[in-house]
Amino acid sequence: MRALTAEQTDEYYALIDRNREHLTRYGDYRAPAASDHRAARAELLDDPYPSLRCGVHLHGALIGRVDLVAVDPPKYGFGYWLDHAATGHGYATAACRALIEYGATVLGATDVFAGVTHGNDRSSAVLTRLGFRAAEVFDTYTRYHRALAASPRAYPARR
């Protein structure tokens, strides 16, 4: 896993392009799925700081994305998606676990929240494996929460 930047636009766009149906199956990622190359590049050019936008890589190939969103630090939002062909192998769980651990130990995150559209049982299962619990049920999605034992740190210095 590493920062997902504009230098990876072609690979990121190809990932989106081959996963349009997968990304919209439950309505979760309609905006990225509707992206053209220019929109994907613009998204990656936008500096997410203090949030984190990471690409998930397997054998050097980009297979997904995991984000830790600084909503109200030390409380963070969380999102992820993988290439349809890469699902079911534990890659999402491993990548999410690593980013959550980073958030707790480096950023001082105390809480992480994620939303999962009703019917997306595989994403709910990932969150459950990571220790999240359903916190609130809405019309179209369930909000999950995980409290973290964070070390008391401020944001790292901006590079």
Side-chain angles (χ1 to χ4, degrees):
M1 198 166 47
R2 64 180 183 260
L4 186 57
T5 64
E7 290 77 31
Q8 298 168 57
T9 298
D10 291 343
E11 191 175 11
Y12 180 59
Y13 179 72
L15 179 67
I16 290 170
D17 197 38
R18 70 177 174 266
N19 281 282
R20 291 184 194 281
E21 183 178 327
H22 174 63
L23 290 170
T24 58
R25 181 181 220 176
Y26 302 103
D28 301 49
Y29 288 97
R30 288 186 179 147
S35 295
D36 58 15
H37 190 276
R38 189 177 73 183
R41 179 166 175 74
E43 179 187 8
L44 297 183
L45 281 169
D46 185 32
D47 184 358
Y49 184 83
S51 300
L52 302 174
R53 177 181 56 225
C54 299
V56 180
H57 295 81
L58 179 65
H59 306 299
L62 182 65
I63 63 164
R65 176 176 172 169
V66 180
D67 293 17
L68 193 59
V69 182
V71 175
D72 185 19
K75 297 176 182 174
Y76 286 80
F78 189 66
Y80 55 91
W81 64 271
L82 287 184
D83 186 318
H84 184 267
T87 61
H89 302 283
Y91 304 136
T93 302
C96 292
R97 182 175 286 119
L99 192 57
I100 291 167
E101 183 176 315
Y102 180 86
T105 60
V106 177
L107 302 179
T110 59
D111 296 89
V112 180
F113 296 87
V116 177
T117 303
H118 297 313
N120 191 346
D121 297 334
R122 293 180 106 179
S123 280
S124 295
V126 168
L127 293 175
T128 300
R129 279 192 294 278
L130 293 168
F132 283 77
R133 299 290 176 249
E136 199 166 356
V137 178
F138 297 96
D139 288 342
T140 59
Y141 73 99
T142 300
R143 178 180 296 145
Y144 287 81
H145 171 253
R146 178 174 167 195
L148 304 174
S151 47
R153 297 186 183 198
Y155 287 112
R158 187 166 182 164
R159 297 178 196 180

